[in-house]
Amino acid sequence: MNFKILRKRANLSQEQVAKILETSQSTIACWETGRAKPRADKLPVLAKLFGCTIDELLETEVRRDG
C-alpha cells in the first residue's frame, strides 16, 4: 500500500487524515511505513479521501501515470 503517495497526491497531511479518520498521526505514519494496516472499515473513507478505489489502496505499487 502506498498511502504516502496517495495522501500527497490528495494534498493532505498526516494530521489532516488522522483528524478525518478520528485516529492518531502516528497511526497514519505506521500505515505509510507498512508497520500497520488500516481496518477494513477505514478503507472506503480513505478511498474517497484520496480519490481512488479500495483496490488502488491495496495495490503494492501506485501507477505513476495517473
Side-chain angles (χ1 to χ4, degrees), residues 2-66:
N2 287 292
F3 288 108
K4 185 174 185 177
I5 293 168
L6 293 168
R7 176 181 58 77
K8 287 189 172 210
R9 281 187 186 170
N11 232 6
L12 295 166
S13 69
Q14 287 182 346
E15 288 182 14
Q16 290 170 312
V17 174
K19 185 174 182 178
I20 291 165
L21 295 175
E22 298 179 348
T23 191
S24 69
Q25 181 270 328
S26 63
T27 296
I28 305 303
C30 285
W31 296 349
E32 290 185 1
T33 60
R35 287 183 285 167
K37 294 181 181 179
R39 294 188 332 236
D41 65 318
K42 301 288 188 191
L43 294 177
V45 179
L46 283 165
K48 184 174 182 178
L49 195 59
F50 295 160
C52 66
T53 66
I54 291 174
D55 286 342
E56 288 171 318
L57 285 175
L58 301 176
E59 287 178 1
T60 56
E61 290 190 26
V62 174
R63 288 184 223 121
R64 307 250 184 243
D65 60 351

